[in-house]
Amino acid sequence: MSVATEVRVPDIGDFVDVPIIEVHVKPGDRVNEDDPLLTLESDKATMDVPSPLAGVVREVPVKVGDQVSEGSLILQVEPGDGAVTQPPSLLEQQEQQPVERQQPVEQQEPLGQDVPGRQRTAAVTGPAADFAQTHAGPSVRRLAREFDLDLTAITGTGPKGRITKDDVLSFLKGPASTPAAAPTQGSGIPEIPVQDFSTFGSIEVKPLVRIKKLSGPHLHRSWLNIPHVTHHDDADITELDRYRKELDTAAKPDGYRVTLLSFLIKAVVSGLKRFPEVNSSLNTERDSLIFKQYYNIGIAVDTPDGLVVPVVRDADRKGITEISRELGEVSARAREGKLTGPDLQGGSFTISSLGGIGGTAFTPIVNAPEVAILGVVRAKTAPVWDGEQFVPRLILPLSLSYDHRVIDGALAARFTRHLVDLLSDVRRILL
């Protein structure tokens, strides 16, 4: 028998003495890496503590109601094989009977359609809700959004009336004697019908990586709740790129690179200061704006497992060199999977750059609760008329997606044009 590994509470920010509201494992259970071990709930947030390794749970010295802080011992895991089988998917848990292999596609049942034995009285009318006042953990909220359920209609059996996954699944199954309900009207966006793709040829099923499992619902929620509009413009960065290359050449011996992204961050900060609505968020009642007096810029970083968005804090107080060094460090940690919770929190505006790949323009999804996001693709050399002749200039396409409830078209155009003016004259960025 190998030596058990102590599992302690990871970095949870400034929270201390946070109560445990759920313990998901017991001695003898097998767990996979990243499986939730327990759930903590502070006065500001609910968070799951994942397992850092796969193996067998040997000791759980904590219980519901105990208070823990960063570094507190929560259990011991003997390293080894994780759970032998993966739990059934949400679809498998809810299927009343298997789909016939030869069943015509048009007769297959959509996921959102009512079937005998399933309650649908809790269907949400409209976009998925946040259930901010509901006593439930993140995984339960995610499950409710996936099945368009109103958590306020479900009775919780956990501590202090907390709604558990079992409560949601029991609600979905409903009493066996419940007759088929009439199709719910106005229950939001209909689900995509189920298809058995194996009837058309060989297939391979691979689970989504953890990052995509976490980011998918967030992106879906943002797209459904925010009226997106995208404004496009072009910046002439010919002179800026010449200066950038000079700085980059000087930086290489010191072990870092100077990329265009550093200049974009400085230009964005200038734009946020001039147009503070772009650095705001709607309050929960959607009747006022929260203006942020800080400039924390999120940067979408491509990793082997998907996109993550680490945050460059206080970008208004940092120069090109300091930002360039920080970008290099945070990008490396992102690709190695070593980012912590605080690295990903507190952003007020996001830049999504596809410059290393290509493209001509795109519509990035606003990173709610932010109200705008800047998309950048690869710069290209194009002929530009200077009044006498066409001359080659390096042109950078910019795409600003914004929340039309907060930002109108005129403001979006002015903000983007401000970025264009700054990027076209590097001296103005450095002021």
Side-chain angles (χ1 to χ4, degrees):
M1 179 181 297
S2 59
V3 178
T5 299
E6 292 185 344
V7 179
R8 299 181 179 272
V9 177
D11 183 0
I12 55 175
D14 297 329
F15 299 116
V16 295
D17 296 331
V18 182
I20 299 173
I21 57 174
E22 285 187 63
V23 177
H24 303 293
V25 296
K26 61 183 182 300
D29 285 352
R30 288 186 177 273
V31 294
N32 295 309
E33 185 177 357
D34 292 331
D35 281 353
L37 301 176
L38 50 81
T39 302
L40 311 178
E41 184 173 65
S42 70
D43 57 348
K44 295 183 179 180
T46 301
M47 63 201 84
D48 289 335
V49 176
S51 176
L53 73 165
V56 181
V57 177
R58 290 305 180 198
E59 183 179 351
V60 184
V62 295
K63 61 184 182 302
V64 172
D66 288 351
Q67 294 185 337
V68 295
S69 304
E70 179 182 343
S72 299
L73 177 65
I74 54 175
L75 52 78
Q76 294 184 349
V77 176
E78 180 183 331
D81 294 333
V84 176
T85 60
Q86 295 295 328
S89 67
L90 297 178
L91 176 60
E92 292 168 339
Q93 291 172 351
Q94 304 312 317
E95 284 180 338
Q96 300 300 314
Q97 57 186 6
V99 178
E100 293 291 335
R101 183 177 180 84
Q102 300 300 324
Q103 182 181 4
V105 172
E106 61 270 16
Q107 295 180 4
Q108 294 176 358
E109 175 200 336
L111 288 177
Q113 181 174 315
D114 293 312
V115 296
R118 180 185 298 177
Q119 287 184 330
R120 296 293 297 173
T121 56
V124 175
T125 56
D130 286 334
F131 308 120
Q133 305 303 318
T134 306
H135 194 34
S139 57
V140 171
R141 296 170 189 270
R142 197 159 51 239
L143 180 62
R145 285 192 293 270
E146 183 172 345
F147 283 96
D148 291 337
L149 298 179
D150 183 355
L151 285 179
T152 60
I154 301 177
T155 301
T157 60
K160 300 180 181 180
R162 181 178 179 81
I163 300 172
T164 66
K165 286 185 179 180
D166 289 338
D167 295 331
V168 175
L169 296 176
S170 296
F171 185 90
L172 281 167
K173 294 176 183 177
S177 59
T178 301
T184 304
Q185 299 298 320
S187 59
I189 298 175
E191 295 283 355
I192 299 172
V194 177
Q195 274 197 30
D196 183 2
F197 299 104
S198 63
T199 61
F200 310 113
S202 61
I203 63 173
E204 180 182 7
V205 179
K206 293 183 178 181
L208 281 176
V209 296
R210 179 173 173 79
I211 289 177
K212 292 185 177 180
K213 286 182 181 179
L214 296 175
S215 64
H218 174 75
L219 293 170
H220 190 203
R221 182 168 62 248
S222 294
W223 184 252
L224 290 177
N225 284 281
I226 294 176
H228 281 69
V229 181
T230 304
H231 180 83
H232 303 283
D233 209 333
D234 292 331
D236 184 339
I237 62 167
T238 308
E239 304 304 328
L240 184 153
D241 196 55
R242 289 174 184 162
Y243 179 58
R244 180 200 65 80
K245 289 178 178 178
E246 293 177 7
L247 295 181
D248 185 50
T249 300
K252 288 180 182 178
D254 293 331
Y256 70 98
R257 304 297 302 271
V258 177
T259 66
L260 179 61
L261 195 53
S262 301
F263 292 90
L264 284 169
I265 291 174
K266 295 300 293 183
V268 162
V269 168
S270 174
L272 297 179
K273 288 182 176 181
R274 181 161 182 178
F275 303 99
E277 293 93 340
V278 187
N279 201 41
S280 69
S281 288
L282 276 169
N283 69 344
T284 54
E285 291 76 23
R286 298 180 178 83
D287 58 5
S288 61
L289 286 178
I290 301 170
F291 288 87
K292 300 157 191 172
Q293 307 301 319
Y294 53 87
Y295 303 92
N296 298 340
I297 310 301
I299 304 298
V301 176
D302 186 24
T303 73
D305 292 329
L307 288 177
V308 294
V309 187
V311 175
V312 177
R313 297 181 179 277
D314 301 319
D316 57 316
R317 304 177 187 176
K318 298 173 180 176
I320 296 296
T321 297
E322 187 175 359
I323 291 176
S324 298
R325 290 180 182 274
E326 186 170 340
L327 285 176
E329 294 170 359
V330 76
S331 297
R333 286 193 288 121
R335 295 186 179 96
E336 295 169 0
K338 296 181 179 179
L339 293 177
T340 63
D343 290 328
L344 306 172
Q345 298 171 350
S348 60
F349 185 93
T350 298
I351 300 175
S352 179
S353 175
L354 302 178
I357 302 173
T360 57
F362 70 109
T363 298
I365 297 177
V366 174
N367 188 16
E370 298 168 15
V371 296
I373 180 172
L374 181 67
V376 184
V377 295
R378 178 181 293 174
K380 61 181 180 181
T381 300
V384 177
W385 183 254
D386 67 357
E388 297 181 356
Q389 59 182 343
F390 284 101
V391 294
R393 306 293 292 179
L394 186 61
I395 305 300
L396 177 70
L398 303 175
S399 301
L400 181 76
S401 288
Y402 55 93
D403 185 339
H404 211 334
R405 298 171 300 177
V406 178
I407 301 171
D408 58 28
L411 174 57
R414 291 189 181 100
F415 178 83
T416 310
R417 179 46 49 174
H418 181 75
L419 299 184
V420 169
D421 291 341
L422 290 178
L423 296 171
S424 299
D425 187 351
V426 66
R427 297 169 299 178
R428 298 183 61 191
I429 294 180
L430 302 178
L431 291 178

